[in-house]
């Protein structure tokens, strides 16, 4: 039997957060419902970040409250970004209100990016997580820990693999031992990775158990993300993120001349993994339907924004 690879679709969060035209809450909900029907393991549904920083995702509670998932069906895990204690309280209220949530905390291997994205140094972000993570674990929440700029930073250039390892170790020091579900998600925020630089990064994590914990979050700026997926698989990575229709990017990783790049398209990601002889449990037709829906809602809200701007 082929080995199983875990897929997270981040399109409702990473895919929409940089979209200037406001996507209606009902369309976000439909997108998540489409994704939940694909067989992916997890859908990163929204963000409990400051709505002043990411206005697009200011409706996180409404999105999660409006979801109508098939009763009795074992669906994917739902997750959401949490930057600080305030965001954690919002996520915990949903989790304890009956919609189990995985939380995703995020920091970076680049000081400049960390400050631009969260108004805090790397050490300060990790200190913030230490305030609420014990309560998250106590509440039985699974946790993803993102390390952005794992290969390169839009402001500082290439990032040393050793710097990524140091941040990862500091994050893992916050997790209790035992059967706690903690994922380390290495973000190639600007799609700079090549198979070679990815090998150098993963060499900083020689332990097999560590590599099984690692997820790769690839953006596809130069069309190299699929070759990085193949290299990741060769090196023991079994968790990957994608966004249907290849949408997304971090608003704080771009400039007006050079906007942040989209994620690897989940269809390309899953196809690449299947071609390499692994299983995902994802239905490609259902994934295509989700991708078509994402394209349709973005086209509609961009057209509405142009019309609104012209009038
Ligand atoms: P700050 O301005 O330093 O925070 O932002 P503050 O504590 O001074 O608060 C400012 C205001 O925001 C206050 O409101 C707070 O209450 C409110 P006011 O008193 O002015 O009315 N506030 C909040 N409201 C709701 N929920 C919250 C929250 N926190 C504060 N959680 C902060 C610091 C971390 C909040 C801000 O920088 C932030 O939200 N940053 C998030 C930026 C972001 O979402 N970036 C994109 C995600 S990361 C990414 O895309 C990379 C990734 O995909 C991986 C990869 O590709 O590499 C994950
Ligand atoms: Mg991203």
């Amino acid at each position: 039997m082929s080995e199983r690879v875990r897929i997270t679709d981040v399109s409702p969060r990473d895919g929409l957060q940089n979209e200037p035209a406001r996507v209606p809450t009902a369309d976000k909900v439909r997108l998540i419902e489409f994704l939940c029907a694909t067989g992916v393991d997890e859908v990163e549904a929204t963000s409990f970040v400051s709505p002043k920083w990411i206005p697009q995702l200011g409706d996180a509670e409404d999105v999660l409250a409006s979801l109508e998932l098939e009763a009795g069906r074992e669906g994917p895990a739902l997750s959401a970004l949490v930057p600080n204690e305030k965001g954690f309280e919002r996520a915990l209220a949903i989790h304890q209100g009956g919609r189990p949530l995985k939380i995703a905390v995020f920091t970076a291997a680049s000081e400049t990016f960390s400050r631009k994205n969260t108004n805090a140094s790397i050490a300060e972000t990790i200190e913030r997580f230490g305030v609420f993570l014990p309560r998250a674990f106590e509440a039985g929440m699974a946790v993803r820990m993102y390390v952005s700029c794992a290969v390169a930073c839009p402001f500082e250039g290439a990032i040393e693999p050793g710097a990524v390892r140091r941040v990862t170790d500091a994050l893992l020091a916050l997790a209790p031992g035992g059967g706690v579900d903690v994922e380390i998600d290495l973000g190639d925020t600007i799609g700079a990775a090549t198979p070679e630089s990815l090998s150098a990064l993963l060499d900083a994590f020689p332990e097999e158990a560590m590599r099984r914990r690692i997820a790769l979050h690839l953006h596809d700026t130069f069309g190299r993300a699929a070759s990085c997926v193949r290299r990741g698989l060769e090196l023991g990575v079994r968790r990957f993120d994608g966004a249907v229709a290849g949408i997304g990017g971090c608003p704080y990783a771009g400039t007006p001349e050079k906007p942040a790049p989209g994620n690897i398209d989940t269809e390309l990601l899953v196809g690449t993994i299947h071609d390499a002889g692994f299983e995902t449990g994802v239905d490609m037709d259902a994934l295509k339907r989700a991708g078509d829906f994402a394209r349709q809602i973005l086209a509609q809200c961009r057209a509405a924004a142009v019309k609104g701007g012209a009038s």
Side-chain angles (χ1 to χ4, degrees), residues 13-14 17 44 47-54 81 83-84 86-88 90 106 113 116-119 128 146-149 186-189 217 219 249-252 263:
R13 192 280 300 172
D14 199 331
Q17 69 187 7
E44 200 166 79
S47 267
F48 293 106
V49 296
S50 167
K52 291 188 174 144
W53 284 62
I54 307 282
L81 290 197
N84 56 10
K86 181 155 192 170
F88 173 70
R90 295 172 62 199
F106 54 104
F113 180 79
K116 286 192 186 273
N117 198 38
T118 56
N119 199 21
R128 285 176 183 172
Y146 276 110
V147 183
S148 285
C149 304
L186 302 180
D188 179 20
T189 317
H217 175 103
H219 286 256
C250 175
Y252 299 100
N263 293 266

Side-chain angles (χ1 to χ4, degrees), residues 233-258:
L233 288 168
E234 283 164 21
L235 295 176
V237 177
R238 297 291 180 266
R239 298 165 185 250
F240 293 87
D241 301 347
V244 284
I247 58 180
C250 175
Y252 299 100
T255 59
E257 302 76 44
K258 214 170 160 207

